[in-house]
Amino acid sequence: MTSSACPCCSGLSFETCCGPILAGAPAATAEALMRSRYTAFVRHDLDHVERTHAPEIREDFNRAEAERVADECDWQRLDVLRATEEGDEGTVEFLIQFRRDGQDMRHHERASFRRIDGQWFYSAGEVNPKGEPRRVVKVGRNEPCPCGSGKKFKACCGR
Amino acid sequence: MEPRFACTACGKCCHGLLPLTLTDAVAHAVRFPLALVWTVMRSNAKSYDLATRLGTTVRLPNRKTVAVLIQPSAYLPNHFPCPALQPDNLCGIHADKPSRCRTMPFYPYREEKDQADLLVPRKGWECDVSAEAPVVYRNHAILDRADFDRERAELLEQAPVMRTYADYVLKYMPWIVNDLAKMAAAPAGGKLVTSLSSFLTATRRTDARELAAAQAPLMQALAERTRNDPALADFHKNYAGWAKEMERLAQRP
Ligand code: SF4
Ligand code: SF4
Ligand SMILES: [Zn+2]
Ligand SMILES: [Zn+2]
């Protein structure tokens, strides 16, 4: 069996990265779960996205729309900007780059995760955290990234 | 001069976007392609207070608060006839046409005292406003007000549902606030359209599957009809996308 690069851009193979999580194994970290949810979009496996929503937001999931988004977008890359965990709470800030309708788009989110009985779940997301404008204003390539990562723009969202 | 008004059934106003009460939208889901249409009212607008009761209020990033109306609507380009309009320009569902059509030309999203200019036919409309037509509005009051009151009552009744929906959208699609801010800043205002699928999800409607099954073929047909018209590219994109969503929603177990 040939091993292919995992769509989540971890540099690992799919079989050792998101593959087992999509197949039902618990994610070891909130970041791993986040990556597997992105990979699920790339692979049109929305069941995985749906079952990894925390119970309180499960009913809010618009599955029909998510499936359409998965179809229509050409997923280009995922960058995890920052991931922290404290006990059963995790936060992952990430940037997704994709193409839709011939346009380059980016989705920047700070997502919250919660571990219930040893399983990580997505519980909330803040899009464009810290109230930065949706379409990032002009930033010098060497200035600090407006996403708050502390990196230079060119090394972060401007990459 | 007292405003006079009579409908000559020219069918001209039966075109384009048709705001519906939620009850009418559900009742006519087999006929009208549905979407949720958002309009921003600035605090200096005439019917601002009413709009806060019929809709919701949203704080914009500039800290200004605006009222936002969310109207379930038949979503059609301006020059598209209503699917119920017959070739003879009469309404094909006259006996149970939506409240919005019964109340025409009055508009319960505005205060009753502020309706006079709605009695002036818009360009191309053939409403009779001559001396032969009956007086319908006197001293800023609607003379035959039953339809107006009924539509207003339905709007007030559905307001909590629309607020639930607004909260959902602002939580899960927070960038909409920026679009609302842009609309509030633009002199001509503007409209923003959200999908029926997000509304069905947000309000947890148990009839979501049936409604989606009714909508899917309508969206599909309109996607075809708008396919090759660059002026209708946005409509086409929405119809095509929502057709997929409705098909999937209809197939859900
Ligand atoms: S339902 Fe009847 S009255 Fe209403 S817009 Fe359609 S054709 Fe006109
Ligand atoms: S435009 Fe006036 S006359 Fe023509 S159908 Fe509408 S209300 Fe009646
Ligand atoms: Zn991976
Ligand atoms: Zn960044």
Side-chain angles (χ1 to χ4, degrees), chain B residues 14 18 82 84-85 91 93 97-98 101:
Chain B
C14 298
L18 175 64
C82 169
L85 188 66
C91 176
I93 52 167
K97 64 183 178 185
C101 309

Side-chain angles (χ1 to χ4, degrees), chain B residues 159-172:
Chain B
V161 179
M162 305 320 289
R163 251 165 249 149
T164 300
Y165 181 52
D167 291 346
Y168 175 93
V169 168
L170 294 172
K171 179 172 171 198
Y172 290 103

Side-chain angles (χ1 to χ4, degrees), chain A residues 81 145 147 149 156-157:
Chain A
L81 306 176
C145 188
C147 78
S149 65
C156 184
C157 301

Side-chain angles (χ1 to χ4, degrees), chain A residues 47 50 56-57 59-65 67-68 71-72 101 107 125 127-128 132-135, chain B residues 168 171-175 178-179 182 195 197-198 201 204 237 240-242 244-245 248-249 252:
Chain A
D47 281 347
E50 189 163 20
E56 71 273 14
I57 60 162
E59 296 270 285
D60 282 355
F61 181 55
N62 185 350
R63 172 78 182 246
E65 189 184 41
E67 295 202 21
R68 172 163 76 90
D71 285 355
E72 288 178 359
D101 296 326
H107 173 89
V127 178
N128 300 320
E132 71 174 281
R134 176 159 162 76
R135 277 163 268 286
Chain B
Y168 175 93
K171 179 172 171 198
Y172 290 103
M173 302 171 228
W175 51 84
N178 294 327
D179 297 332
K182 247 184 256 154
S195 71
S197 76
S198 60
T201 305
R204 320 259 200 271
K237 201 173 108 189
W242 296 343
K244 279 190 218 161
E245 290 180 18
R248 282 182 159 135
L249 211 48
R252 295 234 73 193

Side-chain angles (χ1 to χ4, degrees), chain B residues 111-174:
Chain B
E111 297 292 357
E112 182 177 1
K113 61 177 164 41
D114 181 30
Q115 304 275 329
D117 59 325
L118 300 171
L119 294 167
V120 180
R122 288 192 229 163
K123 198 163 163 267
W125 290 15
E126 294 166 29
C127 323
D128 181 5
V129 292
S130 72
E132 271 93 84
V135 174
V136 292
Y137 192 58
R138 181 174 285 150
N139 298 327
H140 301 284
I142 297 169
L143 296 184
D144 179 0
R145 48 177 315 123
D147 291 331
F148 182 89
D149 288 345
R150 189 178 70 154
E151 191 179 2
R152 171 72 68 75
E154 271 184 36
L155 297 175
L156 283 169
E157 199 184 323
Q158 77 189 34
V161 179
M162 305 320 289
R163 251 165 249 149
T164 300
Y165 181 52
D167 291 346
Y168 175 93
V169 168
L170 294 172
K171 179 172 171 198
Y172 290 103
M173 302 171 228

Side-chain angles (χ1 to χ4, degrees), chain A residues 6-10 17-18 35 39:
Chain A
C6 192
C8 81
C9 308
S10 60
C17 184
C18 295
R35 289 182 172 279
T39 297

